[in-house]
Amino acid sequence: MVEVLAGAAIMNRFAPALARLTGSVAPAVRLARRRPVFLGLLLSASVLVVMVAALLDARRDAWARASDASANLARALERDLSSEVRSIDLALQAVADTMAYADGERISPEFRRLLIMQQVGATRYLDAVLLLDDDGEVAFDSRQDAPAIPADLTDRDYFAAHRDRADLGLFVSKPFRSRRAGGQWTIGFSRRLSRPDGSFAGIVLGVIRLTRLQATFEDMQLGPRGSMTLLRDDGLVLARTPFDERNLGRDLSHAPAFRRAQQAGVQQFVAISIVDGVERFYTQRHFEGVPLFINVALAVHDVYSAWRRKAAVIGGVTLLLVGAMAVLLIRLHRELGRRQVLEQAARSSETAFRLLTENSGDGVCRLDAGGRRLYTSPASEAIFGRPAEELVGRHLLDDVSPEDVSVVRDAIARLREGETTTRIEYRIVLPDLEQVWVETSLRAILNPVTGRAEGIIAVKRDVTERKALEGRLAALARTDGLTGLSNRRAFDEALALEWSRARRESTPVSLLLLDVDRFKLFNDTYGHPAGDACLRAVAGAVAAAVHRPADLVARYGGEEIVVLLPNTSAAGAEMLAEQVRAAVEAVGLKHTANLPLGVVTVSVGAATALPAADPDLFAEALVAAADAALYSAKHSGRNRVAVAASVPPPAALPPVPAEEEVRLAAVAAYEGPWFAGRGKEELDRVTRLAAALLGTPIAAISLVGEDWQEFVSRVGLEQAGTPKDISFCGHLVASDEEILVVPNAALDPRFSANPLVASTPGIRFYAGAPLVCPLTGQRLGSLCIIDQVPRPALNPSQRALLADLAALAVDALAHRRAPIAALV
């Protein structure tokens, strides 16, 4: 009792000092707890400021996006419509040229209709072409259903404009209701027709229905109050969306928007529409070379409508989040002390780390900075096939496959040099020597003082099944689904690789290209399922005949199979080609249409190249040579092997025509000094018509002599002629084809090695009709059209048109024929 009283006395003595100490510490603790609250409030205010700034920036972005979208739409529409108007103008000019050529009834009415219908079909909006004489009467209407009743059109602005001015060029009319098309709203494009003395002979008129143009406008998404208007330079409205018939032909030259549009350099502006009073953002574009312009107008209200909805949502959500943050800050203030203690305990406790790792399906290891394991989780045992205790102390590289050691070593080095995380995939070797793939995420444990890595956390998982699946998918991507052979993509990659290796090591590379004989007849006879089975059988026979691991058998396309033979001589390639051919024949698959054997056979083309011998030689030349050899094998009787003599193959020479001396004598009648300048204008007109009507950049009229082909008229060509032995026209002259069409010369064995094809830019498309001498019946040359890109083959109508134009060229050449006395 005495001791208790003594202790109480001591406490009473120090009580004032303890109270002062407690009073001085408590405010510091309260300040430490309030500081996060103040910071939180400051953060909330900052969030609000950032939110307002972001919304204002989004408002500016909405206007910028609308400006860009409007500019892009106006540019696209201007280019499309400007191109279409130029196409209409070109069509009208072509019709005018045709009418000038038709003067004197040199062209029949039927052929004239064909030429004009070609022009109508070449444009997207053009509805019809009419010819009006100088009295305003309709002399021709391309519409089949046009009424036959006469119609006086002298009151139309498109007629009066050309009647009063000879230099007007293309004229765009105001919208009008057509008297010959059921009162439909129509816009006219017209050009003047003149007589040889320059007097007014009428007009050629192209009309488009306004509904077509209106449909294009209405497809554009301009918002609920947007508009789009097509105007003449004088402010006359030609078309507008939203559509209102009262606005067609309306004069807007006094409108503020039109005056702004006419100011130099102004393409975008804001103005109030005089039509409906809506404030809009206008983007206007003037048509190139045509007195038209278009404006795209977005309502200012529509531009910001999406932004207003977004601002309302974002602002409301942000205010709710800031309010929730304030509530959480108050709760944080109450719990801060306890949470700080708990967090410090968690950081200093190894128990939490072990709890996480021991309940994870991934293997977790802790390593020192050198890569030696300090701890491994139980899940690591299933990955490494070793007890966790045995793994502790082993270096990370001890279990890595030798092929992947550099991958792991480099990852550890990167962590030492400053990287904090990295992810790698590599193989590990199990105790039974089996290898499995693992994916490992490595994270550096940094020293808080030095900032250097003092340890590594490695998280591993077994990805062997995923890697196997990726390998199977990669194999499927390189395999033909029907035959099981490698596909075209795998062949192209292998050819490029082997070509580079052969050039590097100065070794030959060979190629076999084989094609199933008369495969189309097989499909027609037995059906396509049997055809697929036939291809699988042929593929199996070819693959069985090729034994070297480096050789590649692939499906090249259709019924063609290719065999790539690295480091193989020409003799070896020919021997293997014969073995492949015999192996397919030995299958004995019935093919009654493949006479005389009655079984499935193949034709094989073989080619060998030495890439190191010619730095300019490319792998495509080897394929072309094999393809030319295959072509030779098929045309020599099939079921045989043909070997290319060279790579690339030589250009095929034109065959010598029958009765060549007679033909050359007929050509000589059109050559010589006596015809200089005679009929040239008519020939040039036919050549221009051929290029325009058949849509090619190049057209020519040729005379094929003994050694030289002369272009007596040409469009789009600089050279006056070519040697006969490389001319396409030489092939046509020596054949009996009515029309020679080569859709892609690079893929045609007759022309693939032709210098005119191999040059840059080379010929790809050719179509020609022969010029037949009316006196001797001999082929003098051709009227041909040419393009430098592949094109589809001509349809029957185009073939007939080319033949008719060739007949016109022969008629024009009659003016160049020498008198009989000149040839004696």
Side-chain angles (χ1 to χ4, degrees):
M1 186 67 178
V2 174
E3 293 175 354
V4 172
L5 292 175
I10 294 173
M11 291 297 295
N12 288 334
R13 188 188 313 168
F14 289 100
L18 290 173
R20 287 193 299 272
L21 179 61
T22 304
S24 61
V25 172
V29 173
R30 288 194 296 270
L31 180 60
R33 293 182 179 179
R34 289 175 181 172
R35 186 176 300 152
V37 177
F38 295 143
L39 292 176
L41 293 176
L42 180 61
L43 177 61
S44 299
S46 301
V47 168
L48 291 175
V49 172
V50 171
M51 183 266 295
V52 172
L55 290 178
L56 292 176
D57 187 65
R59 190 176 190 273
R60 288 190 295 270
D61 284 347
W63 184 263
R65 285 194 301 271
S67 176
D68 292 342
S70 176
N72 291 335
L73 179 58
R75 185 183 301 109
L77 281 171
E78 180 270 324
R79 289 178 178 175
D80 180 63
L81 294 179
S82 181
S83 174
E84 187 62 26
V85 171
R86 288 195 297 270
S87 297
I88 291 173
D89 190 24
L90 288 175
L92 297 180
Q93 291 183 30
V95 172
D97 287 346
T98 302
M99 292 304 101
Y101 188 83
D103 187 29
E105 299 183 348
R106 295 182 59 84
I107 296 180
S108 66
E110 293 78 12
F111 188 54
R112 180 183 64 182
R113 172 175 289 277
L114 174 63
L115 294 178
I116 294 178
M117 292 306 296
Q118 284 277 345
Q119 302 306 320
V120 175
T123 60
R124 179 152 49 101
Y125 291 103
L126 194 59
D127 186 50
V129 172
L130 291 80
L131 298 177
L132 277 64
D133 60 21
D134 55 351
D135 293 327
E137 297 291 334
V138 177
F140 174 84
D141 191 333
S142 65
R143 291 172 292 205
Q144 298 291 339
D145 55 351
I149 58 174
D152 182 9
L153 303 179
T154 55
D155 59 329
R156 296 295 196 193
D157 58 344
Y158 52 75
F159 181 87
H162 288 296
R163 181 190 59 198
D164 299 336
R165 289 184 58 184
D167 60 340
L168 189 56
L170 178 68
F171 179 78
V172 183
S173 76
K174 66 181 180 181
F176 59 91
R177 287 190 177 275
S178 175
R179 299 168 186 166
R180 299 177 62 83
Q184 296 185 2
W185 279 105
T186 307
I187 299 176
F189 297 81
S190 58
R191 276 194 169 272
R192 176 187 174 104
L193 295 176
S194 299
R195 297 187 178 89
D197 61 358
S199 62
F200 178 64
I203 65 170
V204 54
L205 172 67
V207 296
I208 64 172
R209 282 180 292 181
L210 197 58
T211 53
R212 290 190 179 184
L213 192 60
Q214 200 67 38
T216 300
F217 280 16
E218 292 173 356
D219 286 341
M220 305 301 165
Q221 303 296 324
L222 301 177
R225 304 186 211 182
S227 70
M228 187 181 304
T229 310
L230 177 66
L231 306 99
R232 289 196 323 204
D233 280 356
D234 58 2
L236 191 75
V237 176
L238 300 181
R240 187 179 188 274
T241 185
F243 179 76
D244 187 344
E245 187 175 303
R246 295 171 297 179
N247 290 327
L248 296 181
R250 183 174 179 179
D251 185 4
L252 299 182
S253 59
H254 61 285
F258 180 84
R259 291 196 296 270
R260 289 291 304 277
Q262 295 303 305
Q263 295 178 13
V266 175
Q267 289 191 342
Q268 291 187 323
F269 53 90
V270 176
I272 297 177
S273 172
I274 195 174
V275 176
D276 51 15
V278 176
E279 183 181 28
R280 292 188 174 95
F281 173 62
Y282 288 84
T283 300
Q284 63 98 13
R285 296 275 301 186
H286 195 279
F287 286 22
E288 182 180 353
V290 181
L292 302 175
F293 71 96
I294 190 169
N295 65 47
V296 176
L298 304 178
V300 175
H301 181 273
D302 294 342
V303 171
Y304 291 126
S305 60
W307 173 84
R308 282 191 292 270
R309 292 191 297 270
K310 184 185 295 185
V313 173
I314 294 176
V317 171
T318 303
L319 291 176
L320 289 175
L321 292 176
V322 170
M325 186 183 299
V327 174
L328 292 175
L329 287 172
I330 294 174
R331 295 177 63 89
L332 175 64
H333 173 66
R334 297 174 180 175
E335 301 292 333
L336 184 60
R338 185 176 64 86
R339 289 177 64 86
Q340 289 175 344
V341 173
L342 293 177
E343 289 172 0
Q344 181 63 33
R347 284 193 297 269
S348 61
S349 175
E350 187 71 17
T351 304
F353 175 75
R354 291 180 179 272
L355 181 64
L356 291 173
T357 59
E358 291 174 3
N359 289 276
S360 172
D362 295 337
V364 181
C365 300
R366 181 167 183 170
L367 316 172
D368 62 17
R372 192 166 300 278
R373 297 186 184 93
L374 304 176
Y375 165 80
T376 60
S377 68
S380 301
E381 297 181 3
I383 298 176
F384 289 91
R386 301 175 186 271
E389 297 79 7
E390 185 178 335
L391 292 171
V392 175
R394 290 173 62 87
H395 196 279
L396 183 63
L397 297 176
D398 291 344
D399 303 299
V400 177
S401 173
E403 295 87 347
D404 299 332
V405 167
S406 61
V407 175
V408 181
R409 184 182 290 118
D410 291 344
I412 295 175
R414 290 197 301 272
L415 293 176
R416 288 175 177 173
E417 292 171 359
E419 285 192 23
T420 57
T421 61
T422 186
R423 185 187 299 271
I424 55 176
E425 291 182 354
Y426 57 92
R427 288 161 290 185
I428 61 174
V429 182
L430 302 183
D432 59 1
L433 302 183
E434 180 186 356
Q435 292 190 359
V436 296
W437 279 94
V438 295
E439 179 186 75
T440 302
S441 296
L442 300 173
R443 178 180 292 275
I445 303 174
L446 302 179
N447 186 301
V449 178
T450 64
R452 299 180 61 84
E454 62 180 13
I456 301 172
I457 299 296
V459 182
K460 296 180 174 63
R461 66 175 55 184
D462 189 336
V463 294
T464 304
E465 292 185 3
R466 191 193 76 192
K467 297 292 287 187
L469 177 60
E470 290 175 353
R472 290 195 294 273
L473 291 175
L476 287 175
R478 299 167 57 85
T479 303
D480 178 59
L482 176 62
T483 63
L485 302 176
S486 296
N487 59 17
R488 176 67 178 272
R489 173 184 177 185
F491 165 73
D492 290 339
E493 294 175 355
L495 177 60
L497 179 65
E498 295 299 340
W499 190 267
S500 299
R501 181 182 289 116
R503 174 163 286 168
R504 197 168 53 247
E505 299 175 1
S506 298
T507 56
V509 58
S510 296
L511 191 74
L512 307 182
L513 189 61
L514 59 96
D515 183 84
V516 179
D517 294 328
R518 298 185 175 96
F519 185 70
K520 183 179 184 302
L521 294 178
F522 187 95
N523 275 335
D524 294 342
T525 304
Y526 303 104
H528 288 281
D532 292 345
C534 171
L535 288 179
R536 286 192 290 268
V538 171
V542 175
V546 180
H547 304 293
R548 296 191 311 176
D551 299 339
L552 176 73
V553 182
R555 185 181 181 191
Y556 193 70
E559 67 271 18
E560 290 185 332
I561 295 175
V562 65
V563 183
L564 178 62
L565 304 171
N567 197 13
T568 302
S569 65
E574 184 177 6
M575 182 182 302
L576 182 61
E578 181 58 35
Q579 293 173 2
V580 167
R581 185 206 63 75
V584 174
E585 182 181 346
V587 174
L589 188 62
K590 186 178 180 181
H591 186 359
T592 57
N594 188 28
L595 299 177
L597 295 178
V599 297
V600 171
T601 60
V602 295
S603 299
V604 186
T608 302
L610 187 62
D614 185 358
D616 296 326
L617 190 64
F618 295 98
E620 291 78 4
L622 180 63
V623 179
D627 185 60
L630 173 61
Y631 182 85
S632 175
K634 293 183 73 67
H635 285 77
S636 299
R638 297 184 173 85
N639 190 28
R640 63 192 61 212
V641 174
V643 180
S646 62
V647 176
L653 297 176
V656 178
E659 301 179 351
E660 177 67 352
E661 292 184 0
V662 178
R663 192 193 70 82
L664 290 175
V667 173
Y670 296 87
E671 296 178 335
W674 51 80
F675 67 80
R678 301 176 61 185
K680 185 68 168 59
E681 183 178 349
E682 295 182 23
L683 286 175
D684 290 346
R685 182 171 296 174
V686 173
T687 307
R688 289 196 302 270
L689 278 174
L693 297 179
L694 293 168
T696 58
I698 302 171
I701 297 174
S702 69
L703 291 176
V704 180
E706 182 177 4
D707 300 312
W708 183 259
Q709 167 187 263
E710 178 189 1
F711 296 131
V712 296
S713 177
R714 59 189 187 271
V715 173
L717 276 177
E718 294 183 3
Q719 61 268 36
T722 60
K724 178 186 175 182
D725 58 358
I726 64 172
S727 71
F728 283 63
C729 299
H731 286 267
L732 176 60
V733 165
S735 72
D736 57 358
E737 297 184 64
E738 294 183 1
I739 302 289
L740 174 61
V741 180
V742 183
N744 188 349
L747 302 180
D748 193 316
R750 296 171 296 176
F751 304 105
S752 58
N754 191 302
L756 298 176
V757 178
S759 61
T760 303
I763 294 176
R764 290 296 178 268
F765 173 82
Y766 172 90
L771 306 178
V772 181
C773 177
L775 299 179
T776 66
Q778 297 292 327
R779 296 191 172 193
L780 308 172
S782 77
L783 168 64
C784 60
I785 55 174
I786 300 170
D787 204 341
Q788 293 164 345
V789 296
R791 299 169 65 96
L794 300 184
N795 60 39
S797 175
Q798 291 171 322
R799 293 171 68 94
L801 178 60
L802 186 60
D804 288 340
L805 290 170
L808 286 177
V810 170
D811 189 32
L813 277 170
H815 294 286
R816 302 170 63 106
R817 189 167 53 244
I820 296 178
L823 299 175
V824 177

